[in-house]
Protein backbone atom coordinates (compact mmCIF):
# COMPACT_ATOMS: atom_id res chain seq x y z
CA UNK A 1 0.00 0.00 0.00
CA UNK A 2 1.08 3.54 -0.62
CA UNK A 3 1.63 6.04 2.18
CA UNK A 4 0.04 8.76 0.07
CA UNK A 5 -3.66 9.33 0.38
CA UNK A 6 -6.06 8.16 -2.33
CA UNK A 7 -5.54 9.69 -5.75
CA UNK A 8 -8.84 11.54 -5.51
CA UNK A 9 -7.77 13.39 -2.36
CA UNK A 10 -6.86 17.08 -2.67
CA UNK A 11 -3.19 17.90 -2.12
CA UNK A 12 -3.68 21.01 -0.04
CA UNK A 13 -3.23 21.19 3.71
CA UNK A 14 -6.45 21.00 5.74
CA UNK A 15 -7.56 23.90 7.86
CA UNK A 16 -6.72 23.54 11.55
CA UNK A 17 -9.98 25.24 12.48
CA UNK A 18 -13.55 23.90 12.38
CA UNK A 19 -15.17 24.31 9.00
CA UNK A 20 -18.95 24.42 9.32
CA UNK A 21 -20.57 23.96 5.92
CA UNK A 22 -24.33 24.47 6.06
CA UNK A 23 -26.52 23.22 3.28
CA UNK A 24 -28.07 25.71 0.90
CA UNK A 25 -31.02 23.36 0.48
CA UNK A 26 -34.30 24.25 2.08
CA UNK A 27 -35.36 22.02 4.92
CA UNK A 28 -37.98 21.94 7.58
CA UNK A 29 -35.25 21.65 10.22
CA UNK A 30 -33.45 24.69 11.64
CA UNK A 31 -30.12 25.49 10.04
CA UNK A 32 -26.99 24.34 11.84
CA UNK A 33 -25.23 27.64 11.23
CA UNK A 34 -26.09 31.19 10.32
CA UNK A 35 -22.84 31.74 8.41
CA UNK A 36 -22.97 32.26 4.62
CA UNK A 37 -22.15 29.24 2.49
CA UNK A 38 -18.41 29.33 1.66
CA UNK A 39 -16.79 27.79 -1.36
CA UNK A 40 -15.70 24.26 -0.39
CA UNK A 41 -12.28 24.63 -1.98
CA UNK A 42 -11.45 27.73 0.05
CA UNK A 43 -12.76 26.08 3.21
CA UNK A 44 -10.59 23.01 2.68
CA UNK A 45 -7.56 25.19 1.97
CA UNK A 46 -8.13 27.31 5.04
CA UNK A 47 -8.56 30.50 2.97
CA UNK A 48 -11.59 32.67 3.72
CA UNK A 49 -13.76 33.47 0.73
CA UNK A 50 -14.19 37.12 -0.17
CA UNK A 51 -17.36 38.58 1.21
CA UNK A 52 -17.97 35.89 3.83
CA UNK A 53 -18.11 36.64 7.52
CA UNK A 54 -18.05 34.38 10.53
CA UNK A 55 -21.31 33.66 12.29
CA UNK A 56 -21.96 35.59 15.50
CA UNK A 57 -20.32 33.98 18.51
CA UNK A 58 -23.63 33.35 20.30
CA UNK A 59 -25.12 31.62 17.26
CA UNK A 60 -21.96 29.55 16.82
CA UNK A 61 -22.14 28.40 20.43
CA UNK A 62 -25.82 27.45 20.09
CA UNK A 63 -25.02 25.58 16.89
CA UNK A 64 -22.09 23.75 18.48
CA UNK A 65 -24.19 22.66 21.45
CA UNK A 66 -27.03 21.49 19.18
CA UNK A 67 -24.70 19.52 16.93
CA UNK A 68 -22.98 17.95 19.93
CA UNK A 69 -26.21 16.68 21.47
CA UNK A 70 -27.72 15.44 18.21
CA UNK A 71 -24.56 13.65 17.06
CA UNK A 72 -23.99 12.36 20.58
CA UNK A 73 -27.46 10.83 20.55
CA UNK A 74 -26.78 9.17 17.20
CA UNK A 75 -23.45 7.70 18.28
CA UNK A 76 -25.11 6.50 21.50
CA UNK A 77 -27.69 4.44 19.61
CA UNK A 78 -25.44 1.39 18.91
CA UNK A 79 -24.29 1.02 22.54
CA UNK A 80 -27.90 1.50 23.65
CA UNK A 81 -28.97 -1.28 21.29
CA UNK A 82 -26.25 -3.58 22.64
CA UNK A 83 -25.82 -2.73 26.30
CA UNK A 84 -29.43 -2.30 27.41
CA UNK A 85 -29.92 -5.90 26.30
CA UNK A 86 -26.90 -7.34 28.16
CA UNK A 87 -28.49 -7.98 31.59
CA UNK A 88 -31.26 -9.91 29.82
CA UNK A 89 -28.96 -12.40 28.05
CA UNK A 90 -29.21 -15.14 30.72
CA UNK A 91 -33.01 -14.70 30.85
CA UNK A 92 -33.28 -14.92 27.04
CA UNK A 93 -31.27 -18.15 27.20
CA UNK A 94 -33.83 -19.66 29.57
CA UNK A 95 -36.98 -18.14 28.02
CA UNK A 96 -36.20 -19.25 24.47
CA UNK A 97 -34.63 -22.57 25.56
CA UNK A 98 -31.43 -21.88 23.64
CA UNK A 99 -27.75 -22.36 24.57
CA UNK A 100 -25.67 -19.33 25.54
CA UNK A 101 -23.65 -19.47 22.30
CA UNK A 102 -26.87 -19.19 20.26
CA UNK A 103 -28.19 -16.28 22.30
CA UNK A 104 -24.84 -14.49 21.94
CA UNK A 105 -25.48 -14.61 18.19
CA UNK A 106 -28.27 -12.08 18.79
CA UNK A 107 -25.46 -9.67 19.64
CA UNK A 108 -23.33 -10.87 16.74
CA UNK A 109 -26.14 -10.48 14.18
CA UNK A 110 -26.88 -6.91 15.31
CA UNK A 111 -23.17 -6.08 15.16
CA UNK A 112 -22.78 -7.67 11.72
CA UNK A 113 -25.82 -5.73 10.49
CA UNK A 114 -24.30 -2.48 11.66
CA UNK A 115 -21.07 -3.38 9.90
CA UNK A 116 -22.67 -4.26 6.55
CA UNK A 117 -25.18 -1.41 6.72
CA UNK A 118 -22.40 1.14 6.99
CA UNK A 119 -20.87 -0.06 3.72
CA UNK A 120 -24.14 0.81 1.96
CA UNK A 121 -25.24 3.92 3.86
CA UNK A 122 -21.82 5.61 3.96
CA UNK A 123 -21.44 5.94 0.17
CA UNK A 124 -25.16 6.80 -0.10
CA UNK A 125 -24.58 9.77 2.20
CA UNK A 126 -21.67 10.95 0.03
CA UNK A 127 -23.96 10.86 -3.01
CA UNK A 128 -27.33 12.04 -1.65
CA UNK A 129 -26.35 13.99 1.45
CA UNK A 130 -26.49 13.07 5.12
CA UNK A 131 -30.08 13.84 6.11
CA UNK A 132 -32.19 11.63 3.83
CA UNK A 133 -30.33 8.29 4.38
CA UNK A 134 -30.21 9.00 8.11
CA UNK A 135 -33.96 9.50 8.44
CA UNK A 136 -34.78 6.41 6.37
CA UNK A 137 -32.42 4.30 8.47
CA UNK A 138 -33.89 5.59 11.73
CA UNK A 139 -37.46 4.79 10.71
CA UNK A 140 -36.52 1.22 9.73
CA UNK A 141 -34.58 0.86 12.99
CA UNK A 142 -37.66 1.73 15.04
CA UNK A 143 -39.81 -0.80 13.15
CA UNK A 144 -37.21 -3.58 13.43
CA UNK A 145 -36.75 -2.99 17.16
CA UNK A 146 -40.49 -3.21 17.75
CA UNK A 147 -40.57 -6.55 15.89
CA UNK A 148 -37.70 -7.87 18.07
CA UNK A 149 -39.98 -7.52 21.09
CA UNK A 150 -42.37 -10.02 19.48
CA UNK A 151 -39.84 -12.66 18.36
CA UNK A 152 -40.98 -16.13 19.53
CA UNK A 153 -37.70 -18.00 18.90
CA UNK A 154 -33.98 -17.31 19.12
CA UNK A 155 -33.63 -17.79 15.36
CA UNK A 156 -36.22 -15.13 14.57
CA UNK A 157 -34.70 -12.80 17.15
CA UNK A 158 -31.31 -13.21 15.47
CA UNK A 159 -32.87 -12.30 12.11
CA UNK A 160 -34.67 -9.22 13.41
CA UNK A 161 -31.56 -8.09 15.28
CA UNK A 162 -29.70 -8.27 11.95
CA UNK A 163 -32.30 -5.94 10.40
CA UNK A 164 -32.08 -3.67 13.43
CA UNK A 165 -28.32 -3.43 12.98
CA UNK A 166 -28.55 -2.79 9.23
CA UNK A 167 -30.87 0.16 9.81
CA UNK A 168 -29.12 1.44 12.93
CA UNK A 169 -25.85 1.68 10.97
CA UNK A 170 -27.14 4.96 9.54
CA UNK A 171 -26.83 6.65 12.92
CA UNK A 172 -23.19 5.90 13.59
CA UNK A 173 -21.78 6.19 10.05
CA UNK A 174 -23.52 9.46 9.24
CA UNK A 175 -22.69 10.97 12.65
CA UNK A 176 -18.97 10.48 11.94
CA UNK A 177 -19.37 11.88 8.42
CA UNK A 178 -21.13 14.98 9.76
CA UNK A 179 -18.24 15.54 12.18
CA UNK A 180 -15.84 15.36 9.21
CA UNK A 181 -18.04 17.84 7.31
CA UNK A 182 -17.83 20.37 10.12
CA UNK A 183 -14.36 19.94 11.66
CA UNK A 184 -10.73 19.28 10.76
CA UNK A 185 -7.36 18.69 12.41
CA UNK A 186 -7.07 18.63 16.18
CA UNK A 187 -10.52 20.22 16.46
CA UNK A 188 -11.98 17.03 15.02
CA UNK A 189 -10.11 14.93 17.60
CA UNK A 190 -11.41 17.21 20.36
CA UNK A 191 -14.97 16.93 19.06
CA UNK A 192 -14.78 13.12 18.95
CA UNK A 193 -13.61 13.18 22.57
CA UNK A 194 -16.50 15.50 23.46
CA UNK A 195 -18.94 13.12 21.80
CA UNK A 196 -17.67 10.42 24.13
CA UNK A 197 -19.06 12.42 27.05
CA UNK A 198 -22.55 11.81 25.61
CA UNK A 199 -22.17 8.53 23.77
CA UNK A 200 -20.05 7.16 26.62
CA UNK A 201 -22.93 7.75 29.00
CA UNK A 202 -25.00 5.24 27.01
CA UNK A 203 -23.06 2.19 28.29
CA UNK A 204 -23.55 3.52 31.82
CA UNK A 205 -27.26 4.22 31.55
CA UNK A 206 -28.22 1.35 29.23
CA UNK A 207 -27.44 -1.65 31.49
CA UNK A 208 -28.89 0.20 34.47
CA UNK A 209 -32.11 0.78 32.54
CA UNK A 210 -32.05 -2.80 31.29
CA UNK A 211 -31.59 -4.14 34.82
CA UNK A 212 -34.46 -2.03 36.11
CA UNK A 213 -36.73 -3.03 33.22
CA UNK A 214 -36.11 -6.69 34.12
CA UNK A 215 -37.49 -6.02 37.59
CA UNK A 216 -40.91 -5.12 36.14
CA UNK A 217 -40.99 -6.94 32.78
CA UNK A 218 -39.30 -9.75 30.92
CA UNK A 219 -36.58 -9.36 28.30
CA UNK A 220 -39.12 -8.18 25.68
CA UNK A 221 -39.64 -5.02 27.72
CA UNK A 222 -36.04 -4.02 26.91
CA UNK A 223 -36.90 -3.86 23.21
CA UNK A 224 -40.04 -1.86 23.95
CA UNK A 225 -37.88 0.75 25.69
CA UNK A 226 -35.41 0.72 22.77
CA UNK A 227 -38.31 1.32 20.37
CA UNK A 228 -39.38 4.40 22.32
CA UNK A 229 -35.79 5.71 22.44
CA UNK A 230 -35.36 5.20 18.68
CA UNK A 231 -38.63 6.98 17.89
CA UNK A 232 -37.69 9.95 20.10
CA UNK A 233 -34.24 10.24 18.49
CA UNK A 234 -35.81 10.07 15.00
CA UNK A 235 -38.06 12.99 15.89
CA UNK A 236 -35.09 15.02 17.18
CA UNK A 237 -33.09 14.36 14.01
CA UNK A 238 -36.07 15.35 11.83
CA UNK A 239 -36.51 18.58 13.74
CA UNK A 240 -32.95 19.63 14.55
CA UNK A 241 -30.34 18.22 12.14
CA UNK A 242 -29.99 20.04 8.85
CA UNK A 243 -27.97 18.93 5.82
CA UNK A 244 -24.19 19.40 6.19
CA UNK A 245 -23.06 18.21 2.74
CA UNK A 246 -24.08 20.71 0.02
CA UNK A 247 -24.70 19.43 -3.54
CA UNK A 248 -21.42 20.76 -4.94
CA UNK A 249 -19.43 18.58 -2.51
CA UNK A 250 -21.32 15.33 -3.18
CA UNK A 251 -19.93 12.33 -5.04
CA UNK A 252 -21.18 11.54 -8.52
CA UNK A 253 -21.50 8.19 -10.26
CA UNK A 254 -23.06 4.91 -9.26
CA UNK A 255 -21.93 1.74 -7.55
CA UNK A 256 -18.74 1.56 -9.58
CA UNK A 257 -17.65 5.03 -8.48
CA UNK A 258 -18.35 4.17 -4.84
CA UNK A 259 -16.29 0.99 -5.10
CA UNK A 260 -13.41 2.92 -6.71
CA UNK A 261 -13.52 5.44 -3.89
CA UNK A 262 -13.35 2.69 -1.26
CA UNK A 263 -10.54 0.95 -3.13
CA UNK A 264 -8.63 4.22 -3.15
CA UNK A 265 -9.15 4.64 0.58
CA UNK A 266 -7.99 1.11 1.33
CA UNK A 267 -4.98 1.71 -0.92
CA UNK A 268 -3.77 4.35 1.50
CA UNK A 269 -1.62 2.30 3.87
CA UNK A 270 -1.84 4.80 6.72
CA UNK A 271 -5.64 5.09 6.53
CA UNK A 272 -5.92 1.29 6.43
CA UNK A 273 -3.52 1.05 9.37
CA UNK A 274 -5.57 3.34 11.60
CA UNK A 275 -8.74 1.57 10.50
CA UNK A 276 -7.39 -1.85 11.52
CA UNK A 277 -5.84 -0.48 14.71
CA UNK A 278 -9.22 0.83 15.79
CA UNK A 279 -10.99 -2.29 14.56
CA UNK A 280 -8.95 -4.70 16.67
CA UNK A 281 -9.22 -2.36 19.68
CA UNK A 282 -13.00 -2.42 19.22
CA UNK A 283 -12.84 -6.23 19.18
CA UNK A 284 -11.18 -6.08 22.61
CA UNK A 285 -14.02 -3.88 23.80
CA UNK A 286 -16.76 -6.02 22.28
CA UNK A 287 -15.34 -9.27 23.61
CA UNK A 288 -15.78 -7.70 27.05
CA UNK A 289 -19.31 -6.55 26.19
CA UNK A 290 -20.31 -9.98 24.91
CA UNK A 291 -18.72 -12.11 27.64
CA UNK A 292 -19.02 -9.95 30.77
CA UNK A 293 -22.71 -10.76 31.51
CA UNK A 294 -21.83 -14.44 31.83
CA UNK A 295 -18.43 -13.89 33.49
CA UNK A 296 -19.76 -11.48 36.13
CA UNK A 297 -23.17 -13.07 36.72
CA UNK A 298 -22.64 -16.79 36.09
CA UNK A 299 -19.03 -17.26 37.27
CA UNK A 300 -18.92 -14.70 40.09
CA UNK A 301 -22.61 -14.78 41.04
CA UNK A 302 -23.43 -11.09 40.67
CA UNK A 303 -27.06 -10.01 40.21
CA UNK A 304 -28.22 -8.22 37.03
CA UNK A 305 -28.30 -4.98 39.01
CA UNK A 306 -24.74 -5.50 40.35
CA UNK A 307 -23.52 -6.30 36.84
CA UNK A 308 -25.16 -3.13 35.54
CA UNK A 309 -23.42 -1.10 38.26
CA UNK A 310 -20.00 -2.57 37.46
CA UNK A 311 -20.57 -2.00 33.75
CA UNK A 312 -21.50 1.61 34.48
CA UNK A 313 -18.36 2.19 36.56
CA UNK A 314 -16.21 0.91 33.71
CA UNK A 315 -17.97 3.22 31.29
CA UNK A 316 -17.28 6.17 33.62
CA UNK A 317 -13.59 5.33 33.27
CA UNK A 318 -13.88 5.43 29.49
CA UNK A 319 -15.63 8.82 29.62
CA UNK A 320 -13.11 10.35 32.04
CA UNK A 321 -10.09 9.22 30.01
CA UNK A 322 -11.82 10.39 26.81
CA UNK A 323 -12.26 13.86 28.31
CA UNK A 324 -8.64 13.92 29.50
CA UNK A 325 -7.66 13.07 25.93
CA UNK A 326 -9.81 15.81 24.39
CA UNK A 327 -9.31 18.59 26.95
CA UNK A 328 -5.71 18.05 28.06
CA UNK A 329 -3.78 15.86 25.62
CA UNK A 330 -5.00 16.85 22.14
CA UNK A 331 -2.90 19.78 20.93
CA UNK A 332 -0.20 19.11 23.55
CA UNK A 333 0.66 15.48 22.90
CA UNK A 334 0.58 13.93 19.44
CA UNK A 335 -2.38 11.67 18.74
CA UNK A 336 0.00 8.83 17.90
CA UNK A 337 1.65 9.00 21.33
CA UNK A 338 -1.75 8.87 23.03
CA UNK A 339 -2.66 5.90 20.82
CA UNK A 340 0.56 4.07 21.72
CA UNK A 341 -0.12 4.52 25.45
CA UNK A 342 -3.69 3.26 25.04
CA UNK A 343 -2.58 0.15 23.15
CA UNK A 344 0.05 -0.59 25.79
CA UNK A 345 -2.51 -0.33 28.61
CA UNK A 346 -5.09 -2.64 27.03
CA UNK A 347 -2.35 -5.19 26.30
CA UNK A 348 -1.16 -5.20 29.93
CA UNK A 349 -4.75 -5.43 31.21
CA UNK A 350 -5.45 -8.35 28.85
CA UNK A 351 -2.36 -10.21 30.09
CA UNK A 352 -3.51 -9.71 33.69
CA UNK A 353 -6.99 -11.03 32.90
CA UNK A 354 -5.57 -14.09 31.17
CA UNK A 355 -3.29 -14.89 34.11
CA UNK A 356 -6.17 -14.53 36.59
CA UNK A 357 -8.60 -16.59 34.53
CA UNK A 358 -6.11 -19.45 34.07
CA UNK A 359 -5.49 -19.66 37.84
CA UNK A 360 -1.87 -18.45 37.87
CA UNK A 361 -2.68 -16.29 40.92
CA UNK A 362 -4.88 -18.94 42.48
CA UNK A 363 -8.60 -18.42 42.98
CA UNK A 364 -9.37 -14.73 42.64
CA UNK A 365 -12.60 -12.95 43.46
CA UNK A 366 -14.63 -10.46 41.48
CA UNK A 367 -12.72 -7.36 42.60
CA UNK A 368 -9.35 -8.11 40.86
CA UNK A 369 -11.11 -9.14 37.64
CA UNK A 370 -13.37 -6.07 37.73
CA UNK A 371 -10.31 -3.85 38.32
CA UNK A 372 -8.53 -5.22 35.25
CA UNK A 373 -11.70 -4.75 33.17
CA UNK A 374 -11.96 -1.16 34.46
CA UNK A 375 -8.40 -0.40 33.30
CA UNK A 376 -9.06 -2.00 29.93
CA UNK A 377 -12.30 -0.06 29.35
CA UNK A 378 -10.78 3.24 30.48
CA UNK A 379 -7.91 2.95 27.99
CA UNK A 380 -10.44 2.92 25.15
CA UNK A 381 -10.81 6.66 25.79
CA UNK A 382 -7.35 7.07 24.26
CA UNK A 383 -7.88 4.67 21.39
CA UNK A 384 -11.32 5.20 19.86
CA UNK A 385 -11.47 8.99 19.31
CA UNK A 386 -7.87 9.22 18.11
CA UNK A 387 -8.03 6.38 15.58
CA UNK A 388 -11.21 7.91 14.11
CA UNK A 389 -9.66 11.38 13.91
CA UNK A 390 -6.38 10.19 12.40
CA UNK A 391 -8.13 8.16 9.71
CA UNK A 392 -10.77 10.77 8.81
CA UNK A 393 -8.18 13.56 8.59
CA UNK A 394 -6.90 11.88 5.43
CA UNK A 395 -10.32 11.71 3.74
CA UNK A 396 -12.11 15.08 3.48
CA UNK A 397 -13.23 14.17 -0.06
CA UNK A 398 -15.18 11.01 0.93
CA UNK A 399 -16.09 11.23 4.60
CA UNK A 400 -19.12 8.95 4.28
CA UNK A 401 -17.20 6.14 2.59
CA UNK A 402 -14.28 6.53 5.00
CA UNK A 403 -16.63 6.45 7.97
CA UNK A 404 -18.26 3.33 6.54
CA UNK A 405 -14.92 1.54 6.27
CA UNK A 406 -13.97 2.58 9.80
CA UNK A 407 -17.23 1.33 11.23
CA UNK A 408 -17.45 -1.82 9.14
CA UNK A 409 -13.96 -3.00 10.07
CA UNK A 410 -14.67 -2.44 13.78
CA UNK A 411 -18.06 -4.11 13.76
CA UNK A 412 -16.99 -7.08 11.63
CA UNK A 413 -13.97 -7.84 13.78
CA UNK A 414 -16.17 -7.43 16.85
CA UNK A 415 -18.77 -9.78 15.35
CA UNK A 416 -16.08 -12.41 14.79
CA UNK A 417 -14.75 -12.02 18.33
CA UNK A 418 -18.19 -12.25 19.95
CA UNK A 419 -18.91 -16.01 19.51
CA UNK A 420 -15.28 -16.90 20.30
CA UNK A 421 -15.58 -15.66 23.88
CA UNK A 422 -18.28 -18.26 24.62
CA UNK A 423 -16.72 -21.17 22.79
CA UNK A 424 -15.73 -22.95 26.03
CA UNK A 425 -19.08 -22.47 27.76
CA UNK A 426 -20.29 -20.24 30.57
CA UNK A 427 -17.97 -21.48 33.33
CA UNK A 428 -14.63 -19.95 32.31
CA UNK A 429 -13.32 -16.50 31.41
CA UNK A 430 -10.25 -17.82 29.59
CA UNK A 431 -11.68 -17.38 26.04
CA UNK A 432 -12.60 -13.76 26.78
CA UNK A 433 -9.14 -12.93 28.10
CA UNK A 434 -7.39 -14.80 25.27
CA UNK A 435 -9.41 -13.02 22.56
CA UNK A 436 -8.67 -9.68 24.22
CA UNK A 437 -4.94 -10.34 24.33
CA UNK A 438 -4.73 -11.52 20.72
CA UNK A 439 -6.71 -8.52 19.45
CA UNK A 440 -4.60 -6.11 21.55
CA UNK A 441 -1.43 -7.50 19.98
CA UNK A 442 -2.91 -7.31 16.47
CA UNK A 443 -3.89 -3.68 17.11
CA UNK A 444 -0.29 -2.91 18.10
CA UNK A 445 1.10 -4.70 15.02
CA UNK A 446 -1.19 -2.71 12.68
CA UNK A 447 -0.33 0.59 14.37
CA UNK A 448 3.43 0.05 14.25
CA UNK A 449 3.64 -1.82 10.94
CA UNK A 450 1.18 0.22 8.84
CA UNK A 451 0.84 3.66 10.44
CA UNK A 452 4.58 3.92 11.24
CA UNK A 453 4.07 6.87 13.58
CA UNK A 454 7.77 7.70 13.78
CA UNK A 455 7.93 8.61 10.06
CA UNK A 456 6.94 12.02 8.62
CA UNK A 457 3.81 12.12 6.48
CA UNK A 458 2.25 14.33 3.85
CA UNK A 459 0.31 17.39 5.11
CA UNK A 460 -2.96 15.51 4.54
CA UNK A 461 -1.93 13.06 7.25
CA UNK A 462 -0.69 15.56 9.82
CA UNK A 463 -1.86 14.51 13.23
CA UNK A 464 -1.39 17.68 15.16
Amino acid sequence: MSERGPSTAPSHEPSPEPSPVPSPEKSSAPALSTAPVPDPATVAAGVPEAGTAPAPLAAARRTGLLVTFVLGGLTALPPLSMDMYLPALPEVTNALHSPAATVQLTLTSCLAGMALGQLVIGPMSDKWGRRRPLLIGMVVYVLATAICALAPTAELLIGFRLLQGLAGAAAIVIARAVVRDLYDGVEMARFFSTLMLISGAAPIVAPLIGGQVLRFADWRGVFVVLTVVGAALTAVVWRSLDETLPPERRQTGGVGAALRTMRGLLGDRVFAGYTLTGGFAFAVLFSYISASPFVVQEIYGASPQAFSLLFGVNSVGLIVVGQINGKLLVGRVSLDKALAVGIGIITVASVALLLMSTGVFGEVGLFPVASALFVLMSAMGLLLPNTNAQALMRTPHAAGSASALLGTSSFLVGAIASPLVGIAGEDTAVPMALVQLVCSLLSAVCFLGMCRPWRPRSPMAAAG
Side-chain angles (χ1 to χ4, degrees):
M1 292 183 182
S2 153
E3 187 171 351
R4 291 188 302 109
S7 59
T8 54
S11 60
H12 45 255
E13 184 173 356
S15 166
E17 297 297 328
S19 304
V21 184
S23 170
E25 296 179 331
K26 293 182 179 180
S27 170
S28 59
L32 287 175
S33 173
T34 57
V37 179
D39 178 79
T42 60
V43 170
V47 180
E49 186 182 22
T52 60
L57 180 59
R61 284 175 177 170
R62 287 196 299 270
T63 296
L65 186 63
L66 176 64
V67 171
T68 300
F69 277 106
V70 173
L71 298 184
L74 291 173
T75 55
L77 191 63
L80 281 174
S81 302
M82 297 289 179
D83 301 340
M84 194 181 297
Y85 177 61
L86 293 180
L89 281 177
E91 182 179 325
V92 175
T93 301
N94 296 327
L96 299 183
H97 308 290
S98 298
T102 299
V103 172
Q104 282 178 325
L105 288 177
T106 63
L107 290 175
T108 303
S109 62
C110 185
L111 197 64
M114 288 183 179
L116 298 175
Q118 289 182 71
L119 284 178
V120 176
I121 297 170
M124 283 173 55
S125 74
D126 282 337
K127 181 178 176 61
W128 295 331
R130 313 301 185 200
R131 183 175 164 84
R132 192 193 317 171
L134 175 58
L135 286 171
I136 293 173
M138 291 299 297
V139 170
V140 176
Y141 170 88
V142 171
L143 296 176
T145 306
I147 295 174
C148 284
L150 305 174
T153 66
E155 290 75 19
L156 286 174
L157 182 59
I158 290 171
F160 290 134
R161 287 280 279 174
L162 177 64
L163 179 60
Q164 182 191 40
L166 287 168
I172 189 168
V173 69
I174 293 180
R176 275 196 303 261
V178 169
V179 173
R180 187 61 187 91
D181 291 341
L182 300 177
Y183 295 93
D184 202 357
V186 296
E187 292 297 329
M188 181 165 52
R190 288 195 180 103
F191 194 87
F192 274 125
S193 293
T194 301
L195 282 184
M196 292 189 68
L197 185 61
I198 299 175
S199 62
I204 300 174
V205 176
L208 292 173
I209 295 175
Q212 294 305 312
V213 169
L214 292 178
R215 297 181 64 181
F216 304 102
D218 62 7
W219 62 272
R220 299 180 190 277
V222 174
F223 287 105
V224 173
V225 174
L226 281 173
T227 301
V228 174
V229 171
L233 185 56
T234 303
V236 172
V237 169
W238 173 263
R239 179 71 181 87
S240 302
L241 187 63
D242 202 3
E243 183 59 66
T244 61
L245 187 67
E248 62 269 19
R249 292 179 55 199
R250 296 176 188 176
Q251 298 286 317
T252 58
V255 175
L259 293 176
R260 285 192 296 272
T261 298
M262 287 191 172
R263 185 170 63 246
L265 291 170
L266 292 175
D268 176 8
R269 173 175 50 78
V270 180
F271 172 83
Y274 284 118
T275 299
L276 291 174
T277 299
F280 284 116
F282 186 84
V284 175
L285 175 63
F286 196 75
S287 64
Y288 157 74
I289 292 174
S290 181
S292 60
F294 297 98
V295 171
V296 174
Q297 295 181 75
E298 301 297 329
I299 297 177
Y300 293 98
S303 67
Q305 288 72 34
F307 163 73
S308 300
L309 179 61
L310 289 173
F311 198 94
V313 169
N314 291 344
S315 299
V316 168
L318 186 150
I319 291 176
V320 170
V321 174
Q323 295 314 294
I324 291 173
N325 176 74
K327 305 299 183 184
L328 299 179
L329 300 183
V330 172
R332 296 180 177 87
V333 178
S334 74
L335 303 186
D336 283 332
K337 288 181 180 178
L339 271 174
V341 171
I343 293 172
I345 291 174
I346 67 170
T347 303
V348 171
S350 299
V351 170
L353 283 167
L354 184 60
L355 293 176
M356 285 187 284
S357 61
T358 53
V360 172
F361 300 129
E363 186 175 349
V364 298
L366 178 59
F367 181 77
V369 173
S371 299
L373 290 173
F374 174 79
V375 172
L376 184 145
M377 277 282 284
S378 298
M380 293 297 166
L382 295 174
L383 277 162
L384 301 182
N386 291 335
T387 51
N388 284 339
Q390 288 284 59
L392 288 173
M393 266 191 262
R394 299 181 68 85
T395 60
H397 58 290
S401 296
S403 177
L405 290 173
L406 278 170
T408 297
S409 64
S410 297
F411 280 71
L412 279 180
V413 175
I416 293 171
S418 173
L420 295 179
V421 300
I423 199 169
E426 306 171 24
D427 301 323
T428 175
V430 171
M432 178 191 74
L434 187 59
V435 169
Q436 288 172 337
L437 179 57
V438 170
C439 290
S440 298
L441 294 174
L442 288 174
S443 181
V445 168
C446 292
F447 177 62
L448 296 174
M450 300 177 69
C451 302
R452 301 177 187 176
W454 60 87
R455 295 183 60 177
R457 300 185 192 133
S458 62
M460 179 64 68

